[in-house]
Amino acid sequence: MADAKDPSNAAIADLLDELGDLYELDGAVVHRVLAYRNGAKAVREAPRAVAAMVRAGTVTELPGIGATLEEKLQALLTTGSIPALEKLRGKLPAGLLQITRLPGLGPKRARKLHDALGVDGPVALRDAIAAHRVRELPGFGAKSEERLLAALDAAGDDLAGPERHRLDRALQVGEALVAALREVPGVDRVELAGSARRRADTVKDLDVIATAEDPAALLAAFRSSDLIADVERGGEAGAHGTTQTGIGVDLRVVAPDQFGNLLQHFTGSKAHNVAIREAAVKRGLHVSEYGILDDATGESERFAREEDVYARLGLPWIPPELREDRGELRLTEVPRLVEPGDLRGDLHMHTTASDGTASVREMALAARDRGLEYVAITDHSASHGFGNAVSADRLRELIAEVRAVDDELDGITVLAGSEVNIGTDGALDYPDELLVELDWVVASVHTAFTSDPTRRIVAACEHPLVDVIGHPTGRKLGQRTGYELDLDRVVEAARGSGTFLEINGSPARRDLHDVHARAARDAGVLLCIDSDAHRTETLENTLWGVMTARRAWLTAQDVANTRPWPELRALRKGGR
DNA sequence: GCCGTTTTCGGCCCGACTGTTTTCAGTCG
């Protein structure tokens, strides 16, 4: 088990990334730098607390963590710092790392600016450009000064990395754009690639791959689309633009016979492609976006279909959601991942009784229209603090209302539930004799995020009347990272008690996220995919939950609410 | 720095673009 003061996986991964960046600035060979970045990825995606693995001496089981990185992590845990990192930080100013985020300025050239001109950050760089000292350096010229100045002006004060966009917002415009381009006469195929196709939580930009008998018509349609605000550059082979909503779009037009190669390449992830290519080299094959070169024949093969690219490499077609280099290349057969149509029920939603906008009846009807067999009405509990608090007396009325709607409506079972707050003491804010009246109990943390959420959630798991933990980590994409949670202990508590864990489908949450949901499943925990709908329209949020579940390698069997309600009811803890 | 049905040492994905260069290193995706 992790110590309360241990750094999180994310914090450890950030340190390894920083080490890689600093070693790169220091002129280390590229593969050593890559080793730190691979190590950072392994730590960031590790399902268990890496600090605990370091203490247990098992951290080298992670792919990419060897003896040297283990030693550095041991130092981090025993002394609180990594000596090599401290030394490099003393040698290379933080501002130097910042300016490498400027487009066109990498570690080599940044280091040259530092060593020759004393540039230690964006301010010093701007001064050096103003004095025309940069153009005097070998490898730099007037054009370099011009471009760097423009980049400094565009970057703003903090030189932060590129903004990332939530998947729902990216897909909304991305799918509309793809649909519009498919309608253009002379256009053959158009597909969304990149992290949007992999259904990642967030995307940096949109990649669109197309084939067309008439590429000019396609490009003209792209330029004039009312979804696109402006097109920065473009030729015959593609264009780069920005949507009205501020998301960059790369459009590539390719020959039909290599559409499969391009789609595979631009779907990524980068780590997936690197792993594919490394494995291919061992078989005498060289994979690129243009084809697969066979050493034996010297011939390069192109494929119109992505399935054939994978087949040529001896692999089954791998669903995009799995392409993260998390073991998918060892699959000989791809599991049938859960699909939206597999969900029979939705066990987390709100009505006007708390902070929703629709009645019990309206929510039930909308769910029935969506093809669901059952729903649980789970308004917030007595101490929620947002919208209407549902007192114990009010909940009794609400249960009666739910029973009445359930009696009235055919074709859908309406269950009485609640989303109960987990207090700072780990207790729930309704008495047990009321909770036992409910068909379904979601328990969630909504307050005091820093007040030992692990202990509180474990306590909720051990409560005999709690069915599922709602949005277990509390993260909100682009807003907050979630509570400092020991997921190992939560998963163990859920497994031991028979509590389900939620994949909350709100596109701002998608919580649990994919890595943790996969770890929970592997530990033997059943997941619930819920909408957390506050309006009838957001019942469709389960779609985002399914995307996360697929990225977690989940099958329908791994998801509790793919079962008919009588079967799921019997699976609850204690068979209550 | 990691890793092993080619290896415990010698490898470690692929290609395009850019600006500065007369053949390429650095950067990017």
Side-chain angles (χ1 to χ4, degrees), chain A residues 402-452:
Chain A
V402 168
R403 303 287 180 232
V405 171
D406 183 47
D407 284 345
E408 177 205 341
L409 296 182
D410 290 329
I412 184 128
T413 299
V414 189
L415 304 167
S418 176
E419 182 182 12
V420 184
N421 268 359
I422 304 172
T424 51
D425 54 359
L428 307 180
D429 58 350
Y430 287 128
D432 286 358
E433 54 269 31
L434 180 53
L435 292 176
V436 80
E437 298 294 315
L438 296 169
D439 304 303
W440 189 255
V441 176
V442 183
S444 308
V445 168
H446 285 114
T447 54
F449 297 156
T450 56
S451 184
D452 203 350

Side-chain angles (χ1 to χ4, degrees), chain A residues 27 44 58 86 157 263 374 398:
Chain A
R44 190 169 282 115
T58 58
E86 298 303 324
D157 297 334
L263 183 61
Y374 56 95
L398 191 58

Side-chain angles (χ1 to χ4, degrees), chain A residues 463-485:
Chain A
H463 193 294
L465 298 173
V466 167
D467 294 303
V468 61
I469 303 298
H471 45 71
T473 76
R475 74 170 181 165
K476 286 223 177 145
L477 293 168
Q479 291 178 45
R480 61 179 193 232
T481 55
Y483 339 123
E484 284 288 325
L485 204 60

Side-chain angles (χ1 to χ4, degrees), chain A residues 338-345 371-373 529 542-543 546 559 561-562:
Chain A
V338 62
E339 293 173 8
D342 293 328
L343 297 185
R344 293 172 184 261
L372 292 176
E373 296 172 12
I529 299 174
T542 50
L543 292 175
V546 169
V559 178
N561 51 315
T562 59

